[in-house]
Amino acid sequence: MTTIMTTPGAQTRRGRFFKLDMWTATSLGLLLLFGLFLLYPLFGVLKESVLDGEGGFTFANFAKFFANDYYFGTIRNSFMVSLAVTVVSLVIGVPFSYFYTFFKLRGAKFLFVGAVLSCMSAPFIGAYAWILLLGRNGIATRLLEAVLPFSIGSIYGFGGIVLVLSLKLFPLVSVYMNAAFRSVDISLLEAASLMGSTGLRRIWQVMIRLTVPTLLAASLLVFMRAFADFGTPMLIGEGYRTFTVEIYNQYLGEIGQNHNFAAAIGIVGVVVTAAVFLLQKFAANKFSFSLKAGSPVQKRRPRGIGGALVYLYMYALIGLALLPQLYIVYLSFRNNNQVVFLPGYSLDNYRQAMSRLLGRSVYNTIFFAVVALVIIIAVSVLLAYLVVRRSNAVNNFLDTVSMLPYIMPGAVIGIGLVIAFNSPPLALTGTMTVMIIMLVIRRMPYTIRSATATLMHLPMSMEEAARSLGASKLKAFWRITVPMMSAGVASGAVLSFVAIVTEMSAGIILYNNQTITLTMSAYVAITRGSYGLACAFSAILTVLTAVLLAVYLKFTKEEDVKM
């Protein structure tokens, strides 16, 4: 009989190889979830884009897109709009943040709340309100044309899209830059002054150059949000077509549907956004450095004519940014007959909304948001721990995959979920489940980035102390690490929650009457010409967003974001 001897070292290595601990199982579980609900749908979009109507392999959809300027122009238009919105947002957002950070302004908290509220509203409310204000028969249009000797032009087209999106997205620049400006050591500014660099020259040579990484991060966020926006170009684009609207027309259009071509347009959009993202990452790494203020900024009160101009700039800009939401709330109480608002006030629009799925829309909005947020928080906490505390190739891959929705247009995710789950064994299209999956995928990056950034700054020593006192890995994680992460997770979660309740670009592909939300109800009312009804839905959505913003401020207590 032959006896096979094994050394203790070999047994230990073999046991270690086959050992499946809690965190390895968690990594594999998250890998399975991301693979099923994110990568598999994206593969479905890619596959759909290279098929013809009979299921054969072809590149004809891409050839059609690039050969026909009617279609290729949509990507070009989206890129130009996004670039213009990014530039304008920087031009007006950086001074706003500079004045907010370096001056002791009366009503500073109102300015901050107004800025954040304006960028957290539903993506189409601003466009809709500006149509009512500056449209061909808008109230502001009539007033200005009665006073001015020239025509003020049209809100429709390229200029209107840039105006609406810039007023909506510039607060993203200011919120990011607030933290960057506060990190600048005041001694550097004093040294620059001693060397003769003062005024605007000092701001450019010192302040702007020191905050380049933050500027690049804010620019990327604004660009991505503008590039993926559906509601604004759909409502006021008219002849100026963007690719998000073209995807919708090709996938759900009343004139004709071409799902393969819509998928091809979506893939082109993903490639463009990925290229922009990689370019931003390259630039950010090139200018990467850390700032820590040894001498913090000392705010001063604005005085004289310059101070008056600062106040005028700040409050005028916030007034313009908030004007759409305030006007919508006002119009929600006006009498109207479809597209015409009549004299007098009543609650008829809200009564009409109650008979038009208001209850279901509110319930779905809150239910989807709560369930999606619970899942987002659980996944974000686990993934952040894996990336920071147990970094390896698999966990770093999960971290990268989790950020894909950050750079992807929502319509692509919506189409991918329809393709992936439109037939057995997982026929989820048209159900609440697929809506929740979509919301989790779309808005998870906010909380993941916030949780990861928070955990990176937490010491490992407390967790190790708990382990040395006999606590298990799970107990140490649950009782020590999670509570310490709670503030950062909460701030990211509220941002995710607000983004969830205003989601539109992916939801419009997936919703039906059973899964309709407030955002969808308002949009449907607009497209059907029921302006009073749309105002009622939008006003309720605005109030809900304001409440969520109050929760956000309660948890964060600071004017920055951890992204």
Side-chain angles (χ1 to χ4, degrees):
M1 184 176 67
T2 302
T3 303
I4 300 176
M5 301 294 293
T6 58
T7 64
Q11 291 176 342
T12 302
R13 287 193 299 270
R14 188 177 303 167
R16 189 179 298 158
F17 180 81
F18 287 104
K19 185 177 180 180
L20 185 66
D21 64 8
M22 178 188 72
W23 292 113
T24 304
T26 302
S27 297
L28 295 176
L30 290 178
L31 186 63
L32 177 62
L33 290 176
F34 280 120
L36 179 61
F37 295 117
L38 179 55
L39 297 180
Y40 175 58
L42 294 183
F43 175 77
V45 177
L46 179 61
K47 180 181 176 181
E48 188 86 357
S49 69
V50 293
L51 296 178
D52 56 25
E54 298 179 356
F57 181 83
T58 180
F59 284 112
N61 296 313
F62 292 98
K64 175 182 177 181
F65 178 83
F66 288 105
N68 192 327
D69 191 64
Y70 178 88
Y71 299 117
F72 180 70
T74 61
I75 284 286
R76 184 175 61 245
N77 289 346
S78 290
F79 186 87
M80 294 305 297
V81 161
S82 302
L83 187 61
V85 169
T86 302
V87 172
V88 173
S89 297
L90 289 174
V91 169
I92 63 179
V94 171
F96 184 92
S97 179
Y98 179 84
F99 295 145
Y100 182 86
T101 305
F102 287 91
F103 289 95
K104 190 178 293 184
L105 301 171
R106 292 186 178 89
K109 182 60 71 174
F110 167 78
L111 291 172
F112 176 69
V113 171
V116 180
L117 179 60
S118 65
C119 72
M120 287 186 172
S121 62
F124 64 90
I125 287 181
Y128 170 48
W130 283 112
I131 288 175
L132 299 178
L133 287 166
L134 290 176
R136 296 184 180 92
N137 196 37
I139 182 173
T141 301
R142 296 197 304 269
L143 290 174
L144 291 174
E145 289 182 349
V147 175
L148 300 175
F150 55 86
S151 174
I152 63 171
S154 172
I155 190 65
Y156 300 97
F158 175 84
I161 298 174
V162 173
L163 170 68
V164 172
L165 289 179
S166 297
L167 288 174
K168 176 181 172 61
L169 298 179
F170 87 87
L172 295 176
V173 175
S174 66
V175 169
Y176 269 69
M177 292 303 295
N178 287 347
F181 282 145
R182 289 200 306 272
S183 300
V184 175
D185 195 324
I186 197 69
S187 62
L188 296 175
L189 301 179
E190 294 171 351
S193 297
L194 292 175
M195 297 179 67
S197 180
T198 59
L200 292 177
R201 185 181 177 187
R202 184 179 68 167
I203 292 174
W204 173 254
Q205 290 183 333
V206 181
M207 300 293 295
I208 299 301
R209 292 189 179 185
L210 286 176
T211 55
V212 165
T214 304
L215 274 172
L216 291 173
S219 300
L220 176 67
L221 181 58
V222 172
F223 186 94
M224 294 300 183
R225 291 279 295 269
F227 193 82
D229 188 87
F230 168 78
T232 302
M234 182 69 175
L235 291 178
I236 65 175
E238 286 199 343
Y240 197 85
R241 307 175 313 280
T242 62
F243 95 102
T244 50
V245 177
E246 190 61 34
I247 289 177
Y248 175 80
N249 290 335
Q250 293 294 330
Y251 202 81
L252 297 173
E254 296 179 0
I255 298 177
Q257 298 178 1
N258 189 336
H259 293 181
N260 303 102
F261 189 47
I265 300 175
I267 293 297
V268 174
V270 172
V271 171
V272 172
T273 53
V276 172
F277 177 74
L278 293 175
L279 180 63
Q280 185 270 347
K281 293 288 285 184
F282 172 78
N285 290 333
K286 188 174 182 179
F287 293 99
S288 179
F289 51 84
S290 60
L291 288 174
K292 187 173 180 62
S295 302
V297 171
Q298 298 295 324
K299 292 188 176 185
R300 62 184 189 275
R301 289 208 175 272
R303 302 182 185 280
I305 296 177
L309 291 176
V310 168
Y311 273 109
L312 178 63
Y313 179 82
M314 298 292 283
Y315 279 93
L317 191 55
I318 287 299
L320 282 174
L322 285 178
L323 182 60
Q325 287 89 337
L326 298 177
Y327 191 56
I328 289 293
V329 174
Y330 162 74
L331 288 180
S332 69
F333 296 100
R334 283 282 301 272
N335 293 324
N336 78 97
N337 181 16
Q338 289 295 98
V339 299
V340 179
F341 287 92
L342 306 173
Y345 303 89
S346 69
L347 295 175
D348 287 346
N349 294 322
Y350 290 94
R351 295 190 187 98
Q352 187 180 4
M354 293 181 67
S355 65
R356 299 286 184 88
L357 303 179
L358 174 61
R360 183 180 300 170
S361 299
V362 172
Y363 173 81
N364 285 345
T365 299
I366 296 176
F367 176 76
F368 293 163
V370 170
V371 175
L373 191 65
V374 170
I375 299 172
I376 286 173
I377 291 174
V379 172
S380 299
V381 169
L382 293 173
L383 184 57
Y385 188 87
L386 291 171
V387 171
V388 177
R389 296 286 195 252
R390 303 178 67 86
S391 179
N392 57 43
V394 174
N395 294 338
N396 291 333
F397 174 75
L398 285 172
D399 187 42
T400 301
V401 168
S402 70
M403 289 303 294
L404 287 178
Y406 182 73
I407 64 172
M408 290 176 54
V412 176
I413 294 176
I415 292 174
L417 291 173
V418 171
I419 294 172
F421 304 116
N422 200 35
S423 58
L426 287 176
L428 302 178
T429 303
T431 65
M432 290 188 173
T433 301
V434 78
M435 292 290 288
I436 293 171
I437 293 171
M438 176 270 295
L439 293 171
V440 170
I441 292 172
R442 281 278 286 151
R443 302 310 180 183
M444 188 166 44
Y446 293 107
T447 308
I448 288 177
R449 288 301 95 200
S450 180
T452 303
T454 300
L455 189 57
M456 283 181 176
H457 293 90
L458 295 179
M460 186 71 175
S461 56
M462 295 187 68
E463 191 174 337
E464 292 173 342
R467 292 292 309 281
S468 67
L469 292 173
S472 63
K473 292 181 181 180
L474 182 60
K475 188 174 183 179
F477 168 74
W478 181 251
R479 298 290 296 273
I480 304 298
T481 308
V482 172
M484 290 194 299
M485 295 173 61
S486 60
V489 173
S491 63
V494 174
L495 288 175
S496 292
F497 196 76
V498 173
I500 286 170
V501 299
T502 58
E503 169 61 37
M504 181 176 179
S505 57
I508 200 166
I509 303 290
L510 298 168
Y511 90 98
N512 56 36
N513 277 347
Q514 296 301 316
T515 59
I516 196 167
T517 62
L518 280 172
T519 306
M520 293 297 106
S521 291
Y523 180 77
V524 170
I526 292 173
T527 57
R528 293 178 179 175
S530 301
Y531 282 8
L533 178 62
C535 286
F537 281 120
S538 299
I540 294 170
L541 185 59
T542 297
V543 171
L544 179 60
T545 306
V547 171
L548 295 175
L549 175 59
V551 175
Y552 169 75
L553 294 176
K554 178 178 176 62
F555 276 106
T556 60
K557 303 183 186 302
E558 291 191 27
E559 297 88 355
D560 60 356
V561 275
K562 300 178 178 67
M563 283 287 290

